[in-house]
Amino acid sequence: MKRMVLRIRLTLLAAVICPLLMVMLLGCARGDVHVGVDGARERLRVATTTSMYDTGLWEVIEARYEQQYGIRLDVVYAGTGIALEYGRRGDVDVIAVHDKVREEQFIAEGYGIERVPFAYNYFVIVGPGDDPAGLADLQPEQAFTRLYQSQRVPFISRGDDSGTHVKEKAIWKAAGLDYEEVRTSGAWYIERGGGMGPTLLMAAEKQAYALSDIGTFLAYQGDTGLITLVEKDSIMLNVYSAIVIPPEITSAARYDRAQTLIDFLVSPEVQELIGEYGTKDFGRPLFAPCAGAEPKS
Amino acid sequence: MTLWQGLTRAFELLITFDGEVMGIAGRSLAISITSMLIAAAVCIPAACLIHFGRVPGKRWLIALIQTLYSVPTVLVGLLVFLSFSRAGPLGNLSLMFTPELMVIGQAVLISPIMLGLVISGLAGTDRRLKQTAVSLGASHVQAAILVTREARYAVLTAMTMAFGRAISEVGLALMVGGNIRGYTRTLTTAISLETAKGDVELSIALGLILLFVALVVNIVMNRFQQRRVDASS
């Protein structure tokens, strides 16, 4: 019995030590940023879109911001729909998303104060090199109409309520088609339910068409071999903006910290960085800067 | 060839002690072990209560626990998210997107397995053991401890299984942890991320590292089991 009691004591001890060990491990495990216990450092939580991750832009911004402000950025990558939900629930302090209509609605509902555009680019319709549906150089609406009529060549939709998915629905609507009807019209319409990168990889796999932001497309072009068929039309404009969640939902301290990220995003250095990002790897920039103002299409 | 490349990459990352990968592996291990120990601390006594106590509808309760073995990780993730999100009932704790919440979530996730396997382990011991102990003057708690000790293999198996489920799950970790680099990114969330990015080699490497971590844990637990056998003989 004595040995048993001892063993129980040991187990209890382990139950105390292990969480401590965990905290230490977690503290040290972030060697990429700093060494030491993390509690001393302030944190800021951001939800941003998968395109910001897939292009690698946000990682560059994150590293610079952390260095300059000494605040640790916790970044959750999620489609615009989920990012807005995290913001609504107060689980993040800032969201950086790309869906103007829903952003304005979000602000009107009181979940944000101001929408600050900081970068933009264009959506593109991409597809296999031999372009089996013959979409090259059509208007976006015409291209979608042709895809729907052919009912033969697969189209991969994000299907996740992301900014890109919402844009896709807007184009179907502009083409005079009912989205529900398109969605359920046959096996050619595939709902991926995932990020932009995975969607492009699937399009390559199935030799299918897809709607993508140009940034993610260029970042994945090497892996997919897909080409752009329709680009640069006013409906294809893609604006990324940041919204700070109000202090009543998060806290005054978090709100103030979040403001520094907004200032940082529209600062001349970061705007210059955004305008140049990708030139070295892809031969052309992935984004254009738009310092706090709505870009003109 | 990709598999081979993944293998060499895993080896490379392991022997060079790659900082980020070691951080991710250490975090995975720490989170899963902590959640396993917490679940054990709660479930082993609870299993004794259910097994030895007079619980109404015991058979149904056990069937329910066994059904919960197959609870989807994302469902537990969703429930934990709804409870701990700032707008939820426990939102004031500010635990969303932290490793602490991942531990809580995993502990909830693996509790049914732990509970169920310990109960069946206790049921597998000789009934006369408890009767004899009680007739020799042991209290109910002492008798329960004795029987639990007799069922130690089953208890350790339960802990191993629970650890396995915790370290290998991805749905809950993604949902409540958010896969934040250097904070809540674990081996499984990193694998799903790298695969999505198309870096298959690194995914394979991380997967092999996960198995390696599990191997080490199992060796340690096995040793523990061996020593117990030696000590009791």
Side-chain angles (χ1 to χ4, degrees):
Chain A
M1 264 318 150
K2 211 181 238 172
R3 210 191 295 136
M4 200 61 226
V5 172
L6 185 72
R7 204 163 281 153
I8 290 171
R9 282 210 186 121
L10 280 176
T11 314
L12 285 177
L13 196 68
V16 176
I17 289 174
C18 283
L20 283 178
L21 196 77
M22 185 190 84
V23 172
M24 273 164 57
L25 254 173
L26 293 171
C28 304
R30 335 199 145 86
D32 51 329
V33 185
H34 68 119
V35 180
V37 178
D38 188 73
R41 229 165 114 123
E42 292 184 317
R43 315 184 77 98
L44 181 65
R45 299 165 306 180
V46 186
T48 187
T49 68
T50 56
S51 40
M52 282 287 146
Y53 177 79
D54 288 332
T55 55
L57 174 64
W58 197 271
E59 266 181 279
V60 179
I61 291 178
E62 185 186 339
R64 283 225 193 165
Y65 173 81
E66 289 185 337
Q67 203 182 7
Q68 195 167 327
Y69 288 84
I71 297 173
R72 160 95 196 165
L73 270 194
D74 288 342
V75 190
V76 180
Y77 296 98
T80 296
I82 303 173
L84 289 167
E85 183 59 24
Y86 287 151
R88 238 175 236 129
R89 304 185 67 96
D91 292 326
V92 293
D93 310 313
V94 184
I95 54 172
V97 293
H98 64 144
D99 182 357
K100 190 177 175 184
V101 175
R102 271 192 295 177
E103 287 161 31
E104 282 171 346
Q105 188 194 345
F106 183 80
I107 289 171
E109 288 166 2
Y111 295 112
I113 292 158
E114 193 192 358
R115 173 177 169 269
V116 184
F118 64 93
Y120 72 98
N121 58 21
Y122 288 90
F123 285 106
V124 286
I125 297 174
V126 302
D130 58 354
D131 190 14
L135 302 191
D137 301 323
L138 293 179
Q139 293 289 307
E141 297 88 340
Q142 291 173 325
F144 269 31
T145 309
R146 189 170 290 187
L147 275 177
Y148 176 68
Q149 282 165 353
S150 109
Q151 297 270 323
R152 185 174 49 85
V153 197
F155 176 86
I156 319 269
S157 166
R158 285 283 293 277
D160 62 351
D161 227 14
S162 59
T164 310
H165 187 208
V166 170
K167 178 65 79 175
E168 183 207 314
K169 290 187 212 168
I171 300 172
W172 289 118
K173 197 175 167 195
L177 293 161
D178 178 50
Y179 179 65
E180 275 310 304
E181 221 161 87
V182 172
R183 197 172 74 89
T184 51
S185 67
W188 67 279
Y189 188 88
I190 299 167
E191 292 172 83
R192 174 71 171 84
M196 195 66 250
T199 303
L200 288 171
L201 292 173
M202 186 188 256
E205 208 65 51
K206 292 190 173 291
Q207 290 292 294
Y209 291 92
L211 179 73
S212 171
D213 62 287
I214 182 78
T216 311
F217 169 73
L218 288 174
Y220 275 76
Q221 195 168 22
D223 290 334
T224 61
L226 298 172
I227 59 166
T228 62
L229 296 159
V230 178
E231 49 182 323
K232 286 220 175 158
D233 187 276
S234 62
I235 198 174
M236 303 291 251
L237 187 67
N238 178 27
V239 184
Y240 293 90
S241 31
I243 301 174
V244 174
I245 309 303
E248 307 86 66
I249 297 178
T250 57
S251 73
R254 287 189 173 277
Y255 177 77
D256 291 343
R257 233 174 286 156
Q259 287 297 341
T260 65
L261 179 64
I262 304 293
D263 295 343
F264 179 74
L265 284 174
V266 298
S267 70
E269 311 89 81
V270 176
Q271 287 288 303
E272 195 182 323
L273 169 86
I274 290 171
E276 281 169 6
Y277 182 77
T279 316
K280 205 171 64 192
D281 293 331
F282 308 109
R284 61 191 264 195
L286 302 188
F287 298 91
C290 61
E294 195 70 31
K296 288 179 190 69
S297 54
Chain B
M1 277 324 273
T2 322
L3 189 65
W4 176 246
Q5 283 160 352
L7 212 74
T8 48
R9 183 98 170 260
F11 193 64
E12 236 174 70
L13 291 169
L14 276 173
I15 55 167
T16 57
F17 224 70
D18 181 273
E20 184 149 8
V21 171
M22 288 303 132
I24 294 173
R27 195 175 304 120
S28 270
L29 184 64
I31 290 175
S32 318
I33 287 204
T34 315
S35 58
M36 185 263 280
L37 288 173
I38 291 174
V42 176
C43 292
I44 296 174
C48 286
L49 273 179
I50 295 173
H51 179 69
F52 297 116
R54 276 209 195 87
V55 185
K58 192 182 279 187
R59 209 177 278 177
W60 287 104
L61 182 63
I62 291 172
L64 176 73
I65 290 169
Q66 285 172 344
T67 307
L68 290 178
Y69 289 3
S70 5
V71 68
T73 59
V74 282
L75 179 62
V76 178
L78 183 62
L79 294 176
V80 173
F81 167 70
L82 290 175
S83 315
F84 286 88
S85 163
R86 191 169 289 265
L90 297 167
N92 285 337
L93 299 172
S94 267
L95 283 176
M96 200 55 203
F97 303 134
T98 60
E100 289 83 353
L101 190 59
M102 296 167 77
V103 169
I104 295 172
Q106 289 192 346
V108 172
L109 174 76
I110 63 182
S111 286
I113 286 195
M114 190 85 92
L115 208 51
L117 291 182
V118 174
I119 290 173
S120 63
L122 294 175
T125 57
D126 196 329
R127 273 175 162 259
R128 283 166 300 185
L129 186 64
K130 193 190 173 217
Q131 290 160 4
T132 313
V134 172
S135 69
L136 288 174
S139 73
H140 281 286
V141 175
Q142 282 171 328
I145 289 173
L146 189 74
V147 177
T148 310
R149 200 179 150 204
E150 196 58 30
R152 61 187 173 273
Y153 291 116
V155 172
L156 272 171
T157 306
M159 289 169 79
T160 316
M161 294 276 292
F163 169 78
R165 176 131 156 107
I167 201 166
S168 61
E169 74 84 23
V170 58
L172 180 135
L174 262 181
M175 206 178 267
V176 306
N179 193 26
I180 296 165
R181 184 173 56 83
Y183 190 46
T184 57
R185 187 164 298 172
T186 60
L187 285 166
T188 51
T189 63
I191 290 170
S192 74
L193 181 82
E194 293 304 329
T195 309
K197 260 169 81 181
D199 193 344
V200 180
E201 274 170 51
L202 184 58
S203 297
I204 294 174
L206 290 168
L208 291 171
I209 290 169
L210 191 149
L211 286 174
F212 180 72
V213 169
L215 176 72
V216 172
V217 170
N218 277 297
I219 288 174
V220 171
M221 288 192 115
N222 235 317
R223 272 288 161 87
F224 198 51
Q225 220 168 27
Q226 292 296 327
R227 206 175 301 150
R228 284 187 160 192
V229 176
D230 297 343
S232 59
S233 62

